[in-house]
Amino acid sequence: MIRSARRLLLATAGAVILTGLPAIASAQDVAPAWPQATSDLPADEAVRFGTLPNGMRYALMANDTPPGQASLRLRIDAGSLHEGEDQLGLAHFTEHMLFNGTEEIPENDLLRILERRGLAFGADTNATTSFDQTFYRLDLPQTDDGTVDDALRILRQQVSSALMDPAAIDAERNVIVGEERTRNTPQLRSAIAQFGLLAEGQRLADRMPIGDLDIIRNAPAERFVAFYDAYYRPSRTTLIAVGDFDLDAMEAKIRDQFGDWTPRAADGPEPDLGQIADRDAETAILVEPGVVSNVQINWVRPPDLDPDSASERREDLIPALGLAVLSRRLGEMARADDPPFIQAGASTAGLFDTLELTTVLAVFNEGQHARAIQTLEQEQRRLTQYGVSQTELDREITEVRTALENAVATAPTRTTPGLANALLSNVNEDTVFTTPQTNLDQFNAAVDGLTAETVNAALPAVFAGEGPLTLIVSPVAIPEGEDGITQIIEASRQTPVEARADQADLQWPYAEFGAPGQVTDQREIAEIGATVVTFANGSTLTVKPTDYREDQILVALRTGRGELAMPADQQSVLAIGSGVLTAGGLGQLTADDLERVLSGRVYSSGFSIGSDAFEFSGATRPEDLGLQMQVLTAYLTDPGVRPAPFEQIKAIFPQIIAQSSATPQGVFSLRSPELLASGDQRAAIPSAETLQSWNNDQLKAAITEALATGAVHVTMVGDVTVEDAIAATASTVGALPQRAAAPEPTATSAVRRFPQPVSEPVQLTHTGPAEQALAYVAWPATDAVTDHTEARTIDMLHRVMTLRALEEIRERQALTYSPSVDFSASQTFEDYGLISMAGLVTPENIQPFFAAAEAIAADLAANPIDQDELDRARRPEVEAQRQAQAGNAWWLSELSDIVEKPGDVEQITTAISDLEAVTPADIQAAAQRYLRPDTAWKATVVSENPPSTATPAPAAQPAGS
């Protein structure tokens, strides 16, 4: 569904938050019924929906993709909208506190219990607070009784028995402040402006989840307890469990663990969300250095809170199809020569039961706001005045139907985390969890006989309501000001518009590439279940049939040398090739033509420049495998490389640089690739000036040359037979003429080096708030060119360092909200790899951060870790590897260069055993080899602005642990 259709929220005038009361079992504590109880939509029968006597709800679903795993989501029906005026930020703060000790589980033990079971904090164990809900996430790598029992016990303890110890609250305050500092970006400040414009006078406008820093710093423990007792209660709780388990057994465990939970206070009041005020056309301008210029024109109206039903879904679908046509029209305009904007689209959505809105939005080049606004206004009016054509409507129906049909085909192998998240979304929206087949049937019934006239009749209502409310977000001042922009819109309304001309029919011209290639060799690699096929023209196919996902086939096509073919001492125009090639379409079809002619088919196309090859990629289904290979082969042999995408990147690039320059992490992402590669220009991100000096002719020549030589290696993984893979490859890549060998790398191009150690950190600057800084330290490591064993040992070292950083740098010293420890080992450049630690900090915490990082490194080198710490670091990674190996994407990555590196077969088979073989002594020895202070390279990023220019503001996105 497009909008939220949650239950009506009743503001109880006499309700207050009470503490210290005995358990209450009143009508207020009765959980809401499942939406299917009153809907004509059938819920998925594979899901067991239930409600405990205390009002807590649960939804259980057995699923074995991947096998032996489970995902738990525990949702609390309360978020920042439920906070009182003196509680702003406490919903999110409370979420943090639930990881800081319970009546039965000491603070340090909670995460350690889960780590021992193979869950990594962040990746598998996390929580999120939004405006209207808080949920806790556990992805279990195993479904044995011990793991499930520990997970359910922890969740029960968290929601009913959190300590809320005043000392622990005080210790966590700086962590929350650090999170606010991390999230305080130009993009989020612009989102705050959007909420302020759309929900003026309503609760949503001033209930950002991160809250009020004064309250975060000073709220007493009693205020936390009040919120916790009022809203963490069975009637507001839903537990979702999806995975490879017996439904009866899981249900019994949930009843046993949560059945005796009773509330400790009266139910918290439902928030008064406020009413939409009568408003005429308004304009707001936010000047925010570091944002990409954009404009949005909005119409707001009261939220639609009708319950989920077949008629509601059809009512939503009809105008949505019309808006899809508008989005496609705007997208085509953005991809044309001399476009009025860079990107554009239209949508409708509901916001947290507060309002419903329709938005047309465009990203534009600096100074071109007037043209962007006029085009948006006139295209929106063209849509409502003349509507969509039947051809346009049929195309959107085909696109949606194809996606729904694909969902039906892949339904038996939907992933466990994906299903858990989908159920969570339905619970939050109070909508019926229907099967993919029901969704397809409902769609087909809704569009049966649907005419453009019916859609067109529904479109004016989508743009009804208060407004239009226009928001411009720009890094520079808008000369006309708010009144001037309103006048531009009013003047544009006086410009007559005409109906769009019909588009010509197109045919697919890339069905033939010559006589199918002959197979000259075929061999099976039994250890990894793959087959390698060689064709007469020198191209190869590596195929691995799997049953991980029904109706999914992933394809990669590699050729040439990638970065090895590029000079190391100068930047190449190929650096932007990955952002331009597929956007430029094919020689005989533009990208938009391509979408039109292949409407209803399942295929995709991507292009990237790797360190040792140029690679195309795609994802398809068995019935479209031949087409997918035709598309990729056409991009290889006849790429369009049109000027429009290149000029679009040139135009927006200065804004992207400015946006990145506004945060310390953005600056580091721009500069660090080159710095950490000792100036290797292939790793460098070009400057705006360098990009402006290039032209499309240079790019086309470079791409043509790069793709002209080298054997083509195709890899297929998924729901495919060896025979079908051979046939699809033989008629495309296998049918091409023999290709010349790619040039051998030069002595300099085959080398990449870690930078020399520095006595003082390299200093970089950003343009954002003065309170934001970044500290980074890295040590040279090793490669994974031939033998991955040493790299896997260092990987374990880096995971131990992650545990230490979380415990010491985040929790104990609160120097940064989210310290990151990373490790990379090149599979192309010998002796090139690094292990690093970084954190977003305040300027005064830069040196303490470096001291803490150095102390962690020194201790790991001086003292062996205990077995428990190694197991807590290793088990999540082993389980993550097992999960990855049960997916097509992992195998596609591992097999894509197996023809060139046959020795990698052994490396693939030992991926887990190498990790399991690492000992505490190995960790200490690796720390001694690599974490040496005399080899460390450091960098800092601090603001160019003095402290007085800092502009802290609450984050607008959901806050998480």
Side-chain angles (χ1 to χ4, degrees):
M1 293 186 68
I2 297 169
R3 58 176 175 264
S4 169
R6 299 187 59 207
R7 69 183 189 281
L8 290 171
L9 300 180
L10 304 177
T12 308
V16 294
I17 299 175
L18 303 174
T19 58
L21 297 180
I24 299 170
S26 67
Q28 270 190 316
D29 292 314
V30 175
W34 289 101
Q36 58 264 29
T38 56
S39 176
D40 59 352
L41 293 167
D44 189 336
E45 294 182 353
V47 181
R48 180 177 296 181
F49 298 93
T51 305
L52 299 180
N54 61 8
M56 176 177 157
R57 300 191 302 175
Y58 57 87
L60 313 177
M61 186 177 190
N63 189 64
D64 60 0
T65 304
Q69 299 170 27
S71 290
L72 306 182
R73 305 288 184 267
L74 190 146
R75 177 186 181 272
I76 302 296
D77 186 26
S80 61
L81 287 172
H82 295 76
E83 298 165 341
E85 292 298 328
D86 65 347
Q87 295 176 321
L88 302 185
L90 296 197
H92 170 235
F93 204 144
T94 296
E95 170 225 306
H96 273 243
M97 291 311 301
L98 266 60
F99 290 91
N100 281 271
T102 71
E103 292 176 3
E104 294 182 8
I105 306 173
E107 173 183 350
N108 291 333
D109 286 356
L110 191 149
L111 290 178
R112 291 179 181 182
I113 291 170
L114 295 173
E115 287 164 354
R116 293 180 188 116
R117 293 293 184 182
L119 284 78
F121 180 65
D124 308 305
T125 305
N126 216 324
T128 298
T129 301
S130 186
F131 293 92
D132 60 348
Q133 69 169 340
T134 305
F135 67 88
Y136 298 81
R137 174 173 64 84
L138 296 178
D139 288 321
L140 311 183
Q142 302 291 336
T143 53
D144 59 281
D145 285 340
T147 300
V148 173
D149 290 346
D150 275 349
L152 293 176
R153 178 171 66 94
I154 285 172
L155 289 175
R156 165 60 197 275
Q157 281 284 300
Q158 286 181 304
V159 298
S160 69
S161 305
L163 290 178
M164 299 294 178
D165 179 68
I169 289 174
D170 289 341
E172 193 72 15
R173 295 186 198 273
N174 281 338
V175 174
I176 304 292
V177 171
E179 181 174 357
E180 187 278 336
R181 184 172 58 248
T182 299
R183 298 180 186 275
N184 180 19
T185 64
Q187 294 72 40
L188 293 181
R189 291 194 290 275
S190 66
I192 292 169
Q194 179 188 17
F195 277 96
L197 175 67
L198 298 177
E200 182 181 275
Q202 294 181 275
R203 195 178 188 91
L204 181 63
D206 62 358
R207 283 298 189 281
M208 301 303 166
I210 201 68
D212 185 302
L213 287 182
D214 286 338
I215 293 174
I216 289 168
R217 290 186 174 108
N218 300 303
E222 293 78 11
R223 210 175 294 170
F224 290 82
V225 174
F227 184 88
Y228 179 69
D229 286 349
Y231 291 105
Y232 279 71
R233 56 197 310 106
S235 62
R236 288 184 175 272
T237 301
T238 303
L239 178 61
I240 296 164
V242 180
D244 195 359
F245 50 70
D246 177 80
L247 287 177
D248 292 336
M250 180 61 77
E251 185 176 38
K253 287 179 182 293
I254 291 171
R255 289 183 174 274
D256 180 64
Q257 192 62 248
F258 292 91
D260 62 350
W261 177 21
T262 55
R264 298 189 297 193
D267 195 2
E270 291 290 354
D272 179 358
L273 301 178
Q275 301 297 316
I276 294 176
D278 294 334
R279 302 168 72 180
D280 294 323
E282 294 180 29
T283 298
I285 296 174
L286 174 67
V287 177
E288 182 64 63
V291 299
V292 172
S293 303
N294 66 87
V295 58
Q296 55 179 258
I297 306 175
N298 306 279
W299 293 260
V300 300
R301 51 197 177 273
D304 183 345
L305 301 176
D306 291 339
D308 192 14
S309 67
S311 61
E312 278 293 302
R313 294 191 181 188
R314 186 176 191 274
E315 184 180 321
D316 289 341
L317 173 66
I318 290 174
L321 290 170
L323 288 180
V325 172
L326 177 57
S327 289
R328 192 178 297 277
R329 291 177 179 178
L330 294 172
E332 291 175 355
M333 297 176 73
R335 290 183 289 271
D337 293 334
D338 189 27
F341 33 62
I342 299 167
Q343 296 173 350
S347 65
T348 184
L351 290 184
F352 309 106
D353 288 354
T354 295
L355 55 85
E356 191 165 349
L357 78 153
T358 300
T359 301
V360 289
L361 178 146
V363 175
F364 58 86
N365 287 321
E366 188 176 309
Q368 296 188 12
H369 52 277
R371 186 182 176 204
I373 291 169
Q374 291 163 349
T375 305
L376 284 182
E377 187 280 325
Q378 291 169 25
E379 287 304 311
Q380 177 268 325
R381 190 155 39 89
R382 193 189 317 276
L383 182 77
T384 55
Q385 185 171 338
Y386 295 101
V388 304
S389 70
Q390 191 65 45
T391 298
E392 289 178 307
L393 174 60
D394 290 344
R395 178 180 177 183
E396 300 306 329
I397 289 174
T398 298
E399 293 291 335
V400 176
R401 180 182 286 121
T402 300
L404 292 173
E405 289 173 343
N406 200 43
V408 171
T410 59
T413 50
R414 288 174 290 177
T415 66
T416 286
L419 283 166
N421 292 336
L423 272 164
L424 175 67
S425 178
N426 280 89
V427 171
N428 192 49
E429 297 296 320
D430 200 29
T431 53
V432 181
F433 185 78
T434 46
T435 66
Q437 185 62 57
T438 296
N439 296 338
L440 176 60
D441 293 342
Q442 290 289 328
F443 175 80
N444 284 332
V447 300
D448 184 26
L450 183 64
T451 64
E453 289 73 20
T454 300
V455 173
N456 296 337
L459 283 172
V462 178
F463 298 97
E466 308 305 321
L469 308 176
T470 302
L471 174 65
I472 297 181
V473 181
S474 170
V476 297
I478 301 297
E480 297 90 341
E482 294 175 348
D483 291 342
I485 295 300
T486 300
Q487 292 172 8
I488 288 173
I489 296 176
E490 289 301 320
S492 178
R493 286 177 175 172
Q494 307 308 312
T495 303
V497 294
E498 299 178 352
R500 280 172 57 97
D502 293 334
Q503 294 176 315
D505 291 334
L506 295 170
Q507 300 298 319
W508 175 241
Y510 294 98
E512 299 291 337
F513 292 91
Q518 297 298 308
V519 174
T520 59
D521 183 61
Q522 181 172 333
R523 60 187 177 88
E524 183 179 1
I525 308 177
E527 304 97 306
I528 54 176
T531 299
V532 176
V533 179
T534 303
F535 294 91
N537 65 354
S539 60
T540 68
L541 163 69
T542 302
V543 56
K544 179 178 173 64
T546 74
D547 58 4
Y548 303 136
R549 295 292 305 275
E550 289 195 21
D551 254 34
Q552 182 194 68
I553 305 172
L554 302 184
V555 182
L557 186 158
R558 283 167 53 93
T559 192
R561 297 292 185 188
E563 288 184 351
L564 289 175
M566 299 159 61
D569 60 351
Q570 65 184 51
Q571 291 187 332
S572 167
V573 68
L574 281 174
I576 63 167
S578 59
V580 171
L581 192 144
T582 56
L586 299 168
Q588 299 183 57
L589 297 171
T590 68
D592 292 314
D593 292 340
L594 190 63
E595 288 188 7
R596 286 173 53 209
V597 75
L598 299 182
S599 178
R601 307 293 293 274
V602 175
Y603 74 99
S604 64
S605 56
F607 176 71
S608 62
I609 300 176
S611 57
D612 62 349
F614 302 102
E615 184 167 307
F616 294 90
S617 59
T620 187
R621 58 186 177 181
E623 65 191 83
D624 286 325
L625 177 60
L627 172 69
Q628 176 68 78
M629 286 302 299
Q630 290 171 10
V631 170
L632 296 185
T633 306
Y635 270 114
L636 171 69
T637 58
D638 190 27
V641 198
R642 289 178 171 80
F646 183 84
E647 294 303 320
Q648 189 179 62
I649 288 182
K650 288 176 71 171
I652 192 64
F653 201 70
Q655 293 195 62
I656 295 174
I657 296 294
Q659 182 183 62
S660 297
S661 299
T663 63
Q665 61 269 43
V667 168
F668 195 71
S669 68
L670 287 176
R671 297 292 308 281
S672 61
E674 177 184 0
L675 292 171
L676 290 168
S678 296
D680 189 328
Q681 293 301 291
R682 295 168 297 181
I685 295 175
S687 66
E689 294 75 19
T690 298
L691 187 58
Q692 292 301 319
S693 71
W694 294 334
N695 61 56
N696 194 67
D697 289 340
Q698 292 173 311
L699 176 62
K700 187 166 188 175
I703 287 178
T704 301
E705 181 182 2
L707 299 181
T709 59
V712 182
H713 303 292
V714 177
T715 307
M716 289 187 198
V717 178
D719 188 4
V720 63
T721 65
V722 173
E723 293 73 22
D724 287 346
I726 292 174
T729 307
S731 62
T732 52
V733 168
L736 299 177
Q738 183 89 28
R739 290 163 59 90
E744 290 298 318
T746 65
T748 55
S749 68
V751 175
R752 181 164 291 172
R753 291 284 178 255
F754 185 85
Q756 292 296 312
V758 292
S759 56
E760 293 294 330
V762 173
Q763 292 194 350
L764 307 173
T765 60
H766 67 92
T767 60
E771 64 173 358
Q772 296 180 347
L774 180 142
Y776 178 92
V777 57
W779 298 266
T782 190
D783 63 70
V785 175
T786 54
D787 186 355
H788 299 188
T789 307
E790 178 75 352
R792 288 166 179 163
T793 299
I794 306 173
D795 185 37
M796 281 297 95
L797 169 63
H798 123 261
R799 296 183 188 282
V800 171
M801 292 173 68
T802 299
L803 296 183
R804 296 279 181 99
L806 288 170
E807 292 176 0
E808 180 64 28
I809 296 177
R810 170 176 159 142
E811 297 298 334
R812 189 167 294 120
Q813 298 190 42
L815 298 174
T816 180
Y817 162 65
S818 182
S820 64
V821 183
D822 291 306
F823 166 64
S824 64
S826 175
Q827 297 190 46
T828 300
F829 301 106
E830 294 184 358
D831 299 322
Y832 185 70
L834 60 90
I835 185 169
S836 66
M837 189 179 297
L840 292 170
V841 297
T842 59
E844 57 269 23
N845 280 337
I846 289 176
Q847 290 309 316
F849 178 91
F850 282 138
E854 291 163 1
I856 290 172
D859 184 66
L860 288 171
N863 302 298
I865 64 173
D866 61 38
Q867 187 65 43
D868 178 67
E869 186 174 20
L870 175 57
D871 290 342
R872 289 189 293 111
R874 171 168 46 205
R875 182 72 186 274
E877 174 57 14
V878 169
E879 297 301 341
Q881 277 285 323
R882 288 200 174 103
Q883 292 178 29
Q885 291 185 26
N888 292 327
W890 187 88
W891 284 101
L892 186 77
S893 174
E894 295 297 312
L895 295 176
S896 61
D897 59 353
I898 203 72
V899 171
E900 300 139 290
K901 298 180 179 180
D904 278 1
V905 171
E906 181 181 356
Q907 303 301 323
I908 292 172
T909 61
T910 60
I912 292 177
S913 61
D914 280 351
L915 300 178
E916 292 176 329
V918 176
T919 66
D922 293 331
I923 295 295
Q924 183 179 14
Q928 292 170 346
R929 283 195 299 275
Y930 299 107
L931 302 182
R932 293 168 42 192
D934 61 326
T935 64
W937 184 88
K938 298 178 183 177
T940 63
V941 189
V942 297
S943 177
E944 298 174 355
N945 300 315
S948 60
T949 64
T951 55
Q957 70 180 30
S961 291

